[in-house]
Amino acid sequence: MPSSAPGPTSSILIVGGGTWGCSTALHLARRGYKNATVLDPYPIPSPIAAGNDINKIMEHHELKNGEADARSIMFATCSRAALKGWRTDPVFQPYFHETGSIVSGHTPALIEHIKENEIDPTEGTFVELNSAEDFRNTMPAGVLTGDFPGWKGWLSKSGAGWIHAQKAMHSAYTEAKRLGVTFITGTPAGATQSLEYENGDVIGAKTADGVLHRAEHTILAAGAGSDRLLDFEKQLRPTAWTLCHIRMTPDEAKLYRNLPVLFNIAKGFFMEPDEDRHELKICDEHPGYCNFVRDPQHDGEIRSVPFAKHQIPLEAEARARDFLRDTMPHLAERPLAFARICWDADTPDRSFLIDRHPRHPSLLVAVGGSGNGAMQMPTIGGFIADALEGRLQKELKDVVRWRPETAVDRDWKSTQNRFGGPNKVMDFQEVGDDEWTDVGDKSRL
């Protein structure tokens, strides 16, 4: 067992300097912890962190009438706290653009799914969009020029929009460092090779330079890479999504400012161009890619193993352009300026996993963003700190607990209620070497 409950002088080691690692470091520092260290193999913001992105969707999930399942309550609690943080915390507030969002579908089945799961029309906070003209009228003239074939959507004007995740993560890192957190980044000094054990408990981590970083409490928050450092008993599936940018002119970038996010749950989404490079980000929507290989770290079992790549499959580019043809055909053939795959880790039920390890009590795991992790950045570190201190509120604790029983006989190819593309989880092993985009500058982000 840990020698004592954590306190201001306890040594805390955070493995992973991504969205959740930086948030945790910030919250621990704000609580007065004086001896916290973060390890990451890359300078922050890491080029492989899911949160290292010019923008991510932020949407507040409120409970629908009669909705009371534990996961929905957990997610509503977390997103409500995050929204308050984005609006009021000076570290994060500059990077939240509360421009609203549109959720939409283009087939009767998708539209019915949205009605049942995504919105609550009785709340009166959604504006129905029933025609191409309705969609076009949500943005300035000249932005949405498509015919929106079969589309129906709902516009929410508040509590949603987008975040500049990269700048927000850097802001959290800068403030945590100012408050005294030590960051050890770059290879080999910050690259964790293994967790270290004594008498069955975790006593820290060893980095690629051979240094053992001892700590009274270790927090594993390495995102999709966490599965390489600990046996999660199949609770984590590294899953990747695909994004690309197209460059806009300065005048186009002005026209596209302060737009609501447009999200079709089976085709993709876009957000306004970033202010630095004037690049419009488009994501094709699908259940995800995995990289299924025989994994020596899991007894040769076929598992998804993440890797970094600043390219996307040509089929993903084609899907992104299909989305553009429906919405903004005037941009549909414009060349890509940037592309990359973006990894996250799915739990079987897509709830977060934040808990002390049952057999290694000095180890806390904080993983399983399941596609919803970046938007939690302002406050997720507070919940992780609560878990470290043993006082996480019950409606969260019961849902985010260590729960390998949910992963028994896990179907690694489950779509997990996601749509788009071929409506199945795809495998990078089936993408040929000549079936990737080549957009030139692969060093960015």
Side-chain angles (χ1 to χ4, degrees):
M1 292 291 290
S3 56
S4 62
T9 60
S10 298
S11 54
I12 314 290
L13 182 67
I14 302 170
V15 177
T19 303
W20 286 20
C22 285
S23 180
T24 302
L26 174 62
H27 281 270
L28 289 175
R30 284 176 165 176
R31 293 186 186 192
Y33 285 81
K34 306 296 185 189
N35 192 6
T37 300
V38 178
L39 300 176
D40 198 274
Y42 296 94
I44 295 169
S46 161
I48 64 168
N52 187 356
D53 201 349
I54 57 172
N55 42 34
K56 294 282 190 189
I57 296 173
M58 169 61 209
E59 54 186 350
H60 173 34
H61 177 85
E62 271 297 356
L63 294 174
K64 293 174 63 176
N65 285 347
E67 187 178 37
D69 66 279
R71 181 186 180 275
S72 295
I73 293 169
M74 179 279 296
F75 194 58
T77 300
C78 288
S79 65
R80 187 183 306 119
L83 178 61
K84 182 178 179 182
W86 285 116
R87 285 173 167 169
T88 63
D89 188 326
V91 169
F92 299 101
Q93 188 274 332
Y95 311 110
F96 177 40
H97 302 260
E98 195 169 353
T99 54
S101 70
I102 298 165
V103 60
S104 57
H106 63 285
T107 69
L110 292 170
I111 291 165
E112 192 60 33
H113 174 84
I114 294 168
K115 286 181 181 178
E116 291 180 3
N117 297 279
E118 303 283 343
I119 64 164
D120 186 356
T122 63
E123 290 286 310
T125 56
F126 290 92
V127 177
E128 276 196 28
L129 309 174
N130 294 302
S131 67
E133 185 177 12
D134 288 346
F135 279 94
R136 291 187 202 120
N137 288 341
T138 64
M139 302 187 191
V143 173
L144 299 179
T145 57
D147 292 332
F148 292 85
W151 286 49
K152 180 178 176 67
W154 288 264
L155 167 65
S156 176
K157 293 185 177 180
S158 65
W162 63 276
I163 57 175
H164 199 302
Q166 181 190 81
K167 290 182 177 180
M169 183 161 48
H170 191 267
S171 180
Y173 154 72
T174 301
E175 179 65 5
K177 195 172 178 181
R178 187 186 73 82
L179 293 173
V181 175
T182 299
F183 286 82
I184 302 174
T185 61
T187 300
T192 299
Q193 285 197 323
S194 61
L195 300 178
E196 293 295 304
Y197 300 82
E198 282 182 7
N199 301 318
D201 201 2
V202 171
I203 52 123
K206 184 173 285 186
T207 44
D209 56 358
V211 174
L212 170 59
H213 299 267
R214 283 185 169 267
E216 294 167 77
H217 303 269
T218 300
I219 300 173
L220 178 56
S226 301
D227 192 50
R228 315 304 301 152
L229 297 169
L230 180 73
D231 181 6
F232 278 89
E233 301 178 56
K234 300 187 178 182
Q235 291 177 90
L236 291 188
R237 182 188 71 183
T239 310
W241 283 271
T242 39
L243 66 90
C244 55
H245 298 178
I246 55 177
R247 190 162 287 121
M248 311 289 278
T249 67
D251 285 344
E252 286 173 328
K254 287 179 187 174
L255 178 66
Y256 277 64
R257 281 185 62 80
N258 299 317
L259 303 183
V261 174
L262 175 59
F263 177 38
N264 180 304
I265 66 169
K267 286 214 168 191
F269 60 90
F270 89 97
M271 285 172 274
E272 68 181 74
D274 73 299
E275 60 190 1
D276 301 314
R277 289 194 173 94
H278 298 161
E279 290 178 4
L280 186 80
K281 172 182 155 185
I282 310 105
C283 291
D284 60 312
E285 187 64 17
H286 49 72
Y289 282 91
C290 288
N291 180 45
F292 290 120
V293 297
R294 291 202 176 275
D295 185 358
Q297 290 187 228
H298 293 97
D299 299 321
E301 182 185 344
I302 299 290
R303 298 286 282 267
S304 179
V305 177
F307 63 97
K309 200 172 187 73
H310 282 180
Q311 295 167 276
I312 59 174
L314 293 174
E315 62 191 13
E317 178 187 6
R319 288 190 294 264
R321 295 194 186 282
D322 179 62
F323 169 78
L324 287 174
R325 278 190 286 274
D326 277 9
T327 59
M328 298 174 285
H330 59 289
L331 300 177
E333 303 307 320
R334 194 168 292 192
L336 300 186
F338 177 75
R340 80 169 177 129
I341 59 176
C342 178
W343 288 93
D344 202 349
D346 280 329
T347 61
D349 55 12
R350 290 183 62 190
S351 295
F352 305 148
L353 176 52
I354 302 170
D355 198 5
R356 292 272 187 185
H357 193 284
R359 293 182 299 282
H360 315 304
S362 296
L363 174 66
L364 179 82
V365 297
V367 296
S370 301
N372 292 306
M375 72 172 73
Q376 310 295 335
M377 199 185 317
T379 46
I380 194 68
F383 293 123
I384 293 168
D386 286 346
L388 183 74
E389 295 170 349
R391 56 189 185 92
L392 186 62
Q393 59 202 79
K394 189 177 188 309
E395 64 262 37
L396 298 185
K397 182 177 170 53
D398 291 346
V399 179
V400 303
R401 73 189 188 285
W402 182 265
R403 50 191 190 282
E405 70 277 4
T406 64
V408 174
D409 297 324
R410 183 168 186 182
D411 177 7
W412 291 116
K413 295 187 177 181
S414 168
T415 61
Q416 300 205 268
N417 212 28
R418 296 187 178 106
F419 306 97
N423 285 308
K424 67 177 184 179
V425 171
M426 295 164 284
D427 187 353
F428 284 130
Q429 290 294 312
E430 297 174 2
V431 181
D433 291 343
D434 58 349
E435 295 175 337
W436 293 82
T437 59
D438 184 0
V439 294
D441 183 1
K442 302 180 183 68
S443 64
R444 289 201 285 119
L445 283 188

